[in-house]
Amino acid sequence: MSHQPHSLIVHQHLYQPPREDPWLEVVQTEPSAAPEHDWNTRINRECYARLAKAEAFRRDARAAARDPDARAGISRVVNLYAWCSFDVGATLCEWLDNEAPDTLRAMQQGDAASVKRWGHGNAIAAPYHHVILPLASPRERRTEIRWGLRDFRRRFGRDAEGIWLPECAADEDTLDAVAAEGVQFTILAPYQVQGHNGSGMPVRWRGASGRTLTIVPYDGSLAGDVAFGGLLRNAEALAHRFTPYRDAMLTSPRCTTLATDGETFGHHHKAGDSTLLEALALIAHVPGTRITNAAALVAQHPPTEEIRLVSPSAWSCAHGVERWRSNCGCRLDGSKPLLQQWRGPLRHALERLAAHANEVYEREGSALFRDDPWEVRDAYGDVVARDGEALATFARAQLREGSNDQQLQRARELLELQRATLRLFTSCAWFFDEVDRIEVRQVLRYAARCLELGGAAARMTPDFVQWLSAATSGIPGASSASDVFVREALPHRDQALCVAAAAMACAATGTPVSRLATFDVETSGDASLWQVRVTHRRTGTTAGFTGTVAGDSTALVVRLHNTAHGDGAWEEVRPHEFPETAARALLTQSRAEDSALLAPV
């Protein structure tokens, strides 16, 4: 018998939903993430940044005899993105670009290092938004895959060989759509494929169209023990599970693949990144076991075995994909009653809104764009993560010859309408147990943005509120999705007006600004009368305001009105309604003034 190699792959699914305010394009304070400003910031500190600088500890043999978890001093610091397969959601990348570029750079450097080491990169792509692809229409499914592949190419400088499917949700049409875009493989749970021999080696799916896709099955038992058991408390135990064939003479290749949420390592399990690194270090020189990534494995061992897909299926629902459209019984807290009947009506309401948004986009886009509007939407994936002139340049290039500035602005609004529409179906809105949660509120804010950009806010909002009213747990007095929408999603003030008021306040208190959130601002005037022009960097919409500022930095009142409305009513805006970016600038200015007052003469 020949000693065949055993491969080990650790795959981390790194993802956060888009948390940005749909009008301001910044993440507002999330009190539940305290002591951090928001959940992205907190999880980056606890997990993503740590994975870039994971620390391994020297073992003290005497202490370890008393306490298996005992650790001594740091012995090495390693970028685990160079040693672990991973996907990183595009919406998380958008945030990392602006708020934690060092973390994103470490991911890119880790991928580059793995290409150099193994000839294939650790990073694989993901659909742009974390949507359940089997529940998406063929057109939406194609756009999500194409946007994800385009974003991956821009960030990692190469074409993606593999793709991660959100929640591992798959059906025949989804795998066919992935294969149609030239992707070579995906990673699925072992119970999603039938007919494989359990070796963990790549297998082949073949669709009705004749297209094929390679599947790398992960180890379900190992994933469960890492994510929900205590395996991340002991590096030796983890290393033992990583090498199940340590003493075996293998007659054919084997692979152990751990696939789990990247947040497991440091966020869900404190110091999980260090435990992972120590376990990998322990097996680095184990004879017959090699650490690799999925792309390298597939290249070295092309599949010879064909399987059948369990269709539809997902890694976090025992009922196919029902968790994201029905009260199937899957819930985060098993002690809670089966009261998730709100899931179906919520999806139905959003699907009706999306159908309307798509009709508006197709009708108006066909008149504005040179090419098919849906092909234009797919191409928008090249620039969707950017703003300002890049978006204007893209939209301008799509317009029919002779188009004017007004048509350019509407084209930009239509493309943003589609971006908001795709975001409606972010999967986390259905994953948890209650409808009155931050995840549902966020998709409903995208719904409000859709209504506005589609030009039907006044006409359709009452109907949409009615559609949402059925999305409730049924408990007397409990909030429905309709309540959440009216209370927390609908904007109660024009955000452009609030930005203009904040710009006036900043100028009046000696802190002039040229940009607030995603608005460019131009301020002129003096203490008697201020003029502000605000321009949204994504849509190009502009508005002019005139106003006055009274009070000091601790008790400001701004009175202003939109100059386009002529003699329209003046409105009062106070600091609590300013965008956070302006509030922080004013707070900094206020503290500076206090310090000046306290300084010795």
Side-chain angles (χ1 to χ4, degrees):
M1 291 186 296
S2 62
H3 192 79
Q4 296 292 334
H6 167 243
S7 299
L8 171 67
I9 298 168
V10 176
H11 182 84
Q12 301 172 350
H13 167 51
L14 310 163
Y15 166 73
Q16 292 301 308
R19 305 180 189 278
E20 289 79 8
D21 177 282
W23 293 270
L24 300 174
E25 296 293 339
V26 293
V27 180
Q28 306 280 42
T29 298
E30 295 176 331
S32 60
E36 303 294 350
H37 174 271
D38 57 76
W39 278 107
N40 284 1
T41 303
R42 178 167 169 177
I43 294 173
N44 178 64
R45 175 179 59 80
E46 294 177 342
C47 177
Y48 305 141
R50 287 179 60 94
L51 287 169
K53 298 179 180 179
E55 300 173 347
F57 295 83
R58 292 189 299 272
R59 290 281 166 175
D60 183 315
R62 289 173 298 178
R66 299 188 302 271
D67 179 5
D69 294 328
R71 292 174 174 179
I74 296 172
S75 60
R76 67 183 68 87
V77 176
V78 174
N79 180 358
L80 279 173
Y81 297 117
W83 292 95
C84 297
S85 171
F86 66 91
D87 68 278
V88 52
T91 54
L92 173 57
C93 284
E94 289 181 15
W95 182 86
L96 291 171
D97 247 343
N98 296 315
E99 303 296 335
D102 288 348
T103 299
L104 182 58
R105 193 176 303 112
M107 295 175 181
Q108 294 164 332
Q109 291 169 345
D111 178 69
S114 64
V115 171
K116 186 175 181 180
R117 180 184 302 113
W118 294 314
H120 300 269
N122 282 342
I124 67 174
Y128 201 91
H129 299 104
H130 203 269
V131 301
I132 303 303
L133 292 183
L135 296 180
S137 71
R139 193 167 58 199
E140 270 59 54
R141 186 184 301 127
R142 181 187 68 180
T143 297
E144 289 289 4
I145 294 169
R146 288 184 174 179
W147 278 22
L149 294 175
R150 289 168 187 258
D151 189 74
F152 181 92
R153 185 186 306 117
R154 184 172 73 86
R155 295 189 188 281
F156 291 96
R158 61 180 180 85
D159 289 333
E161 297 180 75
I163 195 168
W164 177 267
L165 302 178
E167 301 292 337
C168 289
D171 64 358
E172 299 286 332
D173 291 338
T174 296
L175 296 194
D176 191 68
V178 167
E181 298 303 322
V183 177
Q184 298 176 34
F185 71 88
T186 190
I187 300 170
L188 294 180
Y191 44 80
Q192 293 182 265
V193 292
Q194 295 178 335
H196 63 101
N197 61 16
S199 68
M201 297 299 288
V203 293
R204 180 184 298 112
W205 167 88
R206 186 182 301 276
S209 68
R211 297 189 184 98
T212 63
L213 188 71
T214 297
I215 295 172
V216 178
Y218 69 78
D219 186 321
S221 174
L222 175 61
D225 289 344
V226 166
F228 307 111
L231 203 50
L232 280 183
R233 290 198 294 267
N234 189 304
E236 285 84 358
L238 180 59
H240 183 75
R241 292 291 297 276
F242 278 166
T243 53
Y245 308 104
R246 182 188 295 260
D247 301 318
M249 291 296 292
L250 299 177
T251 59
S252 59
R254 294 285 191 273
C255 181
T256 299
T257 298
L258 167 63
T260 188
D261 290 332
E263 296 79 23
T264 301
F265 305 101
H267 173 60
H268 297 311
H269 296 281
K270 187 177 181 181
D273 56 305
S274 295
T275 303
L276 174 61
L277 175 55
E278 292 180 51
L280 293 177
L282 287 171
I283 68 168
H285 303 293
V286 172
T289 291
R290 61 167 190 160
I291 300 171
T292 187
N293 62 40
L297 181 77
V298 169
Q300 186 172 359
H301 298 280
T304 58
E305 182 183 9
E306 290 202 357
I307 53 84
R308 298 180 304 278
L309 178 71
V310 178
S311 178
S313 58
W315 77 344
S316 53
C317 179
H319 315 91
V321 292
E322 293 305 309
R323 184 171 194 153
W324 298 277
R325 65 178 175 187
S326 72
N327 186 15
C328 68
C330 289
R331 56 202 188 279
L332 202 63
D333 185 348
S335 66
K336 290 187 176 181
L338 293 170
L339 294 173
Q340 290 79 49
Q341 60 264 37
W342 52 267
R343 288 172 175 160
L346 175 63
R347 179 167 288 276
H348 182 59
L350 294 177
E351 286 174 341
R352 292 180 72 176
L353 176 60
H356 170 77
N358 289 340
E359 186 277 326
V360 170
Y361 175 77
E362 183 170 44
R363 171 168 41 83
E364 296 190 36
S366 296
L368 288 173
F369 299 129
R370 290 182 290 103
D371 300 323
D372 176 78
W374 301 111
E375 293 293 336
V376 172
R377 182 180 73 171
D378 285 350
Y380 195 49
D382 284 329
V383 297
V384 69
R386 302 164 70 183
D387 68 0
E389 189 55 37
L391 300 185
T393 299
F394 174 86
R396 192 178 295 112
Q398 310 305 317
L399 290 175
R400 295 180 183 275
E401 188 175 350
S403 298
N404 57 34
D405 289 345
Q406 185 178 6
Q407 290 167 319
L408 171 62
Q409 180 178 310
R410 185 53 182 160
R412 294 177 68 179
E413 290 173 345
L414 288 174
L415 290 166
E416 283 299 290
L417 170 63
Q418 281 301 302
R419 175 171 172 255
T421 302
L422 292 170
R423 287 183 164 190
L424 291 176
F425 300 101
T426 305
S427 67
C428 2
W430 288 267
F431 186 83
F432 297 97
D433 301 342
E434 297 90 17
V435 71
D436 193 0
R437 281 185 58 100
I438 188 173
E439 297 84 6
V440 176
R441 180 186 70 193
Q442 189 68 11
V443 299
L444 292 179
R445 289 171 73 80
Y446 295 132
R449 183 67 167 150
C450 282
L451 289 165
E452 180 181 83
L453 291 169
R459 177 171 56 85
M460 281 195 64
T461 297
D463 289 338
F464 185 62
V465 170
Q466 182 61 38
W467 302 339
L468 290 172
S469 62
T472 178
S473 66
I475 299 175
S479 294
S480 67
S482 176
D483 298 324
V484 177
F485 179 74
V486 173
R487 184 180 69 236
E488 300 188 55
L490 270 178
H492 298 287
R493 294 295 287 267
D494 176 9
Q495 289 289 0
L497 177 117
C498 293
V499 167
M504 290 181 190
C506 287
T509 54
T511 315
V513 292
S514 60
R515 180 174 178 178
L516 287 175
T518 196
F519 285 86
D520 289 326
V521 298
E522 302 173 45
T523 308
S524 60
D526 53 35
S528 61
L529 192 66
W530 296 98
Q531 292 87 36
V532 175
R533 183 176 183 83
V534 300
T535 303
H536 196 280
R537 293 176 63 86
R538 294 197 68 89
T539 63
T541 54
T542 63
F545 297 87
T546 299
T548 60
V549 181
D552 57 26
S553 59
T554 60
L556 288 168
V557 177
V558 181
R559 296 187 67 251
L560 73 167
H561 72 140
N562 191 319
T563 54
H565 298 162
D567 296 328
W570 288 64
E571 299 188 52
E572 285 192 356
V573 182
R574 296 178 182 271
H576 72 274
E577 297 179 277
F578 295 170
E580 278 190 23
T581 47
R584 286 197 294 269
L586 287 168
L587 181 61
T588 301
Q589 174 69 13
S590 175
R591 286 174 175 168
E593 291 172 355
D594 291 342
S595 298
L597 289 173
L598 295 173
V601 177

